[in-house]
């Protein structure tokens, strides 16, 4: 006759009871946690962001126009909906919304990064780092190059790429203050500290042209001849043609 190993059976039963108990406690805690109300709401902007949108404006979207975040239950929150609502703001690139264990509703917001301001027949607006348009802000103005001329479906991609190149380069970001898009597609640019114009040509060989310009600038600043020039032609990648 086979004997039962009651010791092993009891250990297995005890483990099963422990697991059931843990599951019950977890479920109870989860339900109780979801039923709790929000203690407060916090809006945090990522480091380096410009002040194109206020915390108050984001917080209004975050708490869905409720005057007091403490009236909101955790289980009544749709975090995805809140993120979409905040990200729909024309000044915001993306957001992340979550609730902490202690009931704090928090939104981490990344604002759009303008890289140029456009003034043309269609109006005045910014171009952001992703190449999208964004409206001007009533509370903050970005110090970016001023662009005139037509930006359309045909040239917008290359223009945005060139503007990103300028924005990412410390020297060019400080040096180039404006540009004009000519009907031919060529670009004219202006320097912050000197009166000459920069004839950049079409948006091709961008890096080489800007490297040529940097070399010209460093040389002429050192020998104090830079003030003699009225225009700098960068159309030819093998040389810089200057007009006095």
């Amino acid at each position: 006759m086979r004997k039962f190993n009651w010791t092993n059976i009891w250990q297995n039963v005890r483990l099963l009871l422990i697991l059931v108990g843990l599951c019950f406690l977890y479920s109870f805690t989860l339900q109780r946690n979801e039923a709790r109300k929000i203690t407060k709401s916090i809006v945090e902007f990522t480091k380096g962001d410009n002040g194109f949108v206020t915390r108050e404006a984001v917080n209004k979207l975050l708490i869905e126009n409720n005057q007091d975040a403490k009236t909101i239950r955790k289980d009544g929150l749709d975090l995805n909906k809140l993120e979409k609502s905040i990200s729909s703001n024309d000044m915001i690139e993306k957001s992340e919304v979550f609730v902490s264990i202690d009931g704090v509703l928090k939104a981490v917001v990344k604002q759009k990064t303008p890289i140029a301001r456009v003034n043309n027949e269609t109006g005045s607006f910014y171009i952001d780092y992703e190449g999208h348009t964004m409206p001007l802000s009533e509370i903050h103005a970005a110090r970016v190059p001023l662009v005139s001329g037509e930006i359309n479906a045909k040239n917008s991609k290359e223009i945005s790429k060139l503007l990103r190149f300028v924005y990412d380069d410390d020297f060019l970001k400080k040096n180039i203050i404006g540009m004009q898009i000519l009907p031919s597609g060529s670009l004219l640019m202006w320097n912050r500290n000197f009166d000459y114009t920069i004839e950049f040509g079409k948006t091709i060989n961008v890096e080489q042209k800007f490297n040529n310009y940097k070399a010209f600038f460093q040389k002429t600043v050192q020998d104090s001849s830079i003030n003699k020039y009225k225009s700098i032609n960068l159309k030819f990648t093998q040389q810089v043609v200057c007009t006095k």
Side-chain angles (χ1 to χ4, degrees):
M1 183 177 179
R2 184 177 178 182
K3 294 183 179 180
F4 291 102
N5 191 330
W6 294 105
T7 301
N8 290 339
I9 292 174
W10 169 242
Q11 288 178 348
N12 292 334
V13 171
R14 186 169 58 179
L15 287 174
L16 181 60
L17 291 173
I18 291 173
L19 288 174
V20 171
L22 289 174
C23 290
F24 174 77
L25 288 175
Y26 175 78
S27 177
F28 176 78
T29 303
L30 183 63
Q31 291 179 5
R32 187 175 181 181
N33 183 57
E34 291 295 329
R36 288 179 178 175
K37 291 182 178 180
I38 299 299
T39 57
K40 62 180 179 178
S41 61
I42 295 177
V43 176
E44 179 180 302
F45 294 113
T46 58
K47 185 178 180 181
D49 265 348
N50 297 303
F52 295 107
V53 61
T54 63
R55 282 183 169 82
E56 290 75 18
V58 177
N59 193 60
K60 187 176 180 180
L61 296 171
L62 183 63
I63 62 176
E64 298 179 308
N65 297 320
N66 287 284
Q67 293 183 351
D68 188 358
K70 295 180 180 180
T71 63
I72 306 173
R73 283 168 52 116
K74 293 176 69 175
D75 58 358
L77 288 174
D78 186 337
L79 299 182
N80 289 330
K81 181 181 178 181
L82 289 177
E83 287 182 356
K84 289 179 180 179
S85 177
I86 295 172
S87 299
S88 67
N89 186 292
D90 291 332
M91 301 296 181
I92 294 175
E93 181 177 328
K94 63 179 180 179
S95 65
E96 181 181 358
V97 180
F98 57 91
V99 181
S100 65
I101 296 176
D102 54 353
V104 176
L105 177 61
K106 186 173 183 179
V108 179
V109 177
K110 177 175 176 54
Q111 297 182 53
K112 291 182 179 179
T113 302
I115 57 176
R117 176 173 175 171
V118 178
N119 279 337
N120 58 24
E121 295 179 353
T122 62
S124 185
F125 54 90
Y126 289 122
I127 295 178
D128 73 4
Y129 194 84
E130 302 300 322
H132 304 136
T133 61
M134 60 179 289
L136 303 183
S137 171
E138 296 180 355
I139 60 176
H140 182 73
R143 193 175 183 180
V144 292
L146 185 63
V147 179
S148 61
E150 184 181 4
I151 297 179
N152 50 45
K154 185 177 180 180
N155 66 8
S156 62
K157 184 176 180 180
E158 292 303 319
I159 293 295
S160 297
K161 184 178 179 181
L162 182 142
L163 291 170
R164 277 196 297 270
F165 191 96
V166 172
Y167 183 86
D168 288 335
D169 187 286
D170 289 338
F171 170 79
L172 297 174
K173 188 176 183 179
K174 297 175 182 177
N175 195 273
I176 304 298
I177 61 169
M179 62 182 69
Q180 180 182 5
I181 305 170
L182 302 176
S184 64
S186 293
L187 300 178
L188 286 179
M189 300 183 184
W190 286 269
N191 175 278
R192 182 176 302 279
N193 299 312
F194 301 97
D195 294 331
Y196 58 77
T197 57
I198 303 170
E199 299 179 36
F200 192 84
K202 300 290 183 66
T203 53
I204 56 175
N205 302 314
V206 170
E207 184 173 1
Q208 181 61 53
K209 289 178 180 180
F210 277 131
N211 285 339
N212 290 347
Y213 175 64
K214 289 179 184 179
F216 156 81
F217 188 91
Q218 291 174 358
K219 181 180 183 304
T220 53
V221 165
Q222 288 177 357
D223 62 21
S224 301
S225 63
I226 194 167
N227 288 306
K228 299 178 181 179
Y229 301 105
K230 294 183 178 180
S231 67
I232 313 299
N233 193 326
L234 303 176
K235 295 179 182 179
F236 311 100
T237 56
Q238 299 303 317
Q239 60 181 335
V240 177
V241 180
C242 305
T243 302
K244 294 184 179 182

